[in-house]
Amino acid sequence: MPKPSNFSITLTGDDLPEFLRLVPMADRLGFKCLGVGDCPSLYHDVYVKASLAAQQTRSIRIGPYVTNPVTRHPSVTAGAAATLDEVSGGRAFLGIGGGDSALYNIGLKGASVAQIEEYVATVRKLYQQHEVDFQGRNVRLAWTKRAVPVYMAASGPKGLRAAGRSADGVIVGTGVLPEVVSDALSHIEAGAKEAGRKLADLDIWWLLMGSLDESPDKALEDIKHSLTTYANLAFRFSMEGKHLPPQFHDAVRKIHAEYRSKDHVTGRAAGEHARIADDTGLTRYLASRFSLSGSPAQVLERIAQANKAGAQQLWITLRFPGKERFFRWWEKGVLPSLT
């Protein structure tokens, strides 16, 4: 079995006091990274929240999971992440993706793969060179002390290949079914080779929705709404090349038509999005592909299956009330079996 540090975690949907109460638990239990959501219409400010989390922890790495290329200039993002790095004593990371509710809730569209890659490359060059041309203008960032690791979130062949070319690490959102993992790694490796790198040069994580309970049905109920979110994100722009069985295409189109980014993690959205998962008949398939959920024994089995498929580092997102229950079951039912 993997080590505890082969797991990272993202906590979303909590008020600030609850978030700060949960963060030390994640640190104590050995999670490698803590992702903080960046959606001003739904969450507290990502960098203020991450800085407060840094003050409550000792070891866990902290950063946006994920920010986007649209709402902030790359120099602003690079500077904010570098400030977080100093506040946390060198524990910051920076996750960048296309943007979902953060953009749709202000009337904008998600960034293209080309935009994300340009943004990631610009931030990394600012850390390395302190000066770079971005969209025809010279940009400087002179004061930073360390290159904060930049991760690119990707869920399609083009994005995975771009991440392999441009980022320090990849957060893969395609799921952990064996054929999906193998294909994703091949795209990342192809991109890495284009940049003169090897697959081993990148820190690769696999994003999964997490839920733990002695009752597998309860664990599944807690993530149904999130499975709809994952399907909406992973297949939003295209279903081609993503190993989605053809019999599920119409169901995913229904998700696209009915999903509401403006609600996202609110109580109303949770119920409505859970209904969509059930109505489309996709709940079980999406859970098998995009989740780490069930009883402790089932979760351990899922971890072993993911590792065997090639997904060695798992990034767990919690998007339901009562997250302390997850940590309690993780500590007594899962952690003792991780070596």
Side-chain angles (χ1 to χ4, degrees):
M1 294 297 290
K3 298 179 181 178
S5 59
N6 289 121
F7 299 89
S8 290
I9 198 159
T10 295
L11 307 175
T12 64
D14 302 299
D15 62 24
L16 195 56
E18 179 68 3
F19 172 78
L20 294 177
R21 190 178 71 83
L22 293 169
V23 162
M25 298 182 193
D27 191 37
R28 178 176 62 82
L29 294 175
F31 287 95
K32 184 68 173 292
C33 299
L34 170 70
V36 182
D38 181 16
C39 179
S41 61
L42 295 174
Y43 315 137
H44 297 83
D45 179 81
V46 60
Y47 292 107
V48 173
K49 197 173 180 181
S51 295
L52 289 171
Q55 295 173 354
Q56 302 288 323
T57 56
R58 296 184 177 183
S59 302
I60 197 167
R61 296 169 61 199
I62 302 168
Y65 183 80
V66 287
T67 192
N68 66 80
V70 178
T71 54
R72 295 180 183 86
H73 190 276
S75 66
V76 176
T77 291
T83 302
L84 174 62
D85 198 51
E86 289 198 32
V87 169
S88 65
R91 291 187 284 132
F93 70 88
L94 176 57
I96 300 172
D100 184 55
S101 56
L103 300 181
Y104 286 90
N105 284 339
I106 58 175
L108 301 175
K109 294 182 179 180
S112 68
V113 169
Q115 287 176 297
I116 304 167
E117 184 172 14
E118 180 187 29
Y119 195 91
V120 166
T122 299
V123 170
R124 291 186 73 219
K125 287 179 181 177
L126 282 171
Y127 288 141
Q128 295 161 0
Q129 305 170 11
H130 302 290
E131 186 172 351
V132 63
D133 288 334
F134 175 69
Q135 297 181 351
R137 293 182 173 85
N138 186 256
V139 180
R140 299 180 182 86
L141 187 69
W143 60 269
T144 57
K145 299 178 180 179
R146 187 181 82 99
V148 176
V150 180
Y151 291 75
M152 182 170 164
S155 57
K158 291 181 181 178
L160 293 166
R161 193 165 186 140
R165 279 193 300 266
S166 304
D168 297 300
V170 189
I171 304 174
V172 185
T174 56
V176 293
L177 296 178
E179 67 274 17
V180 174
V181 172
S182 176
D183 194 46
L185 288 172
S186 69
H187 290 301
I188 297 170
E189 184 172 29
K193 286 181 178 179
E194 290 171 359
R197 302 192 291 178
K198 303 184 295 295
L199 188 65
D201 294 332
L202 288 105
D203 190 22
I204 301 173
W205 291 84
W206 304 82
L207 187 66
L208 294 170
M209 189 55 54
S211 181
L212 259 172
D213 196 274
E214 59 184 340
S215 165
D217 289 341
K218 169 60 175 170
L220 181 59
E221 194 65 34
D222 281 341
I223 63 166
K224 281 184 182 179
H225 66 292
S226 298
L227 296 176
T228 304
T229 298
Y230 269 46
N232 183 61
L233 286 170
F235 308 117
R236 181 171 58 200
F237 298 116
S238 173
M239 289 179 270
E240 298 301 318
K242 296 184 178 180
H243 295 277
L244 180 69
Q247 65 266 30
F248 296 145
H249 285 202
D250 285 344
V252 169
R253 292 187 186 100
K254 180 178 175 65
I255 288 175
H256 292 332
E258 298 188 19
Y259 190 83
R260 297 293 177 263
S261 293
K262 66 184 180 66
D263 296 325
H264 206 53
V265 296
T266 64
R268 182 161 66 92
E272 183 64 12
H273 292 163
R275 178 196 63 77
I276 295 171
D278 283 340
D279 285 355
T280 58
L282 285 179
T283 298
R284 295 291 176 180
Y285 170 75
L286 294 175
S288 68
R289 179 165 177 168
F290 294 113
S291 83
L292 190 63
S293 64
S295 67
Q298 289 173 322
V299 164
L300 285 166
E301 183 179 357
R302 288 279 290 147
I303 291 169
Q305 291 170 347
N307 291 167
K308 184 177 179 180
Q312 301 298 322
Q313 300 189 116
L314 306 181
W315 196 303
I316 305 166
T317 299
L318 304 184
R319 296 176 74 239
F320 53 84
K323 296 179 179 67
E324 187 172 353
R325 175 167 46 88
F326 173 91
F327 289 122
R328 184 171 64 251
W329 283 109
W330 184 268
E331 182 170 20
K332 72 178 184 178
V334 175
L335 197 58
S337 297
L338 303 178
T339 58

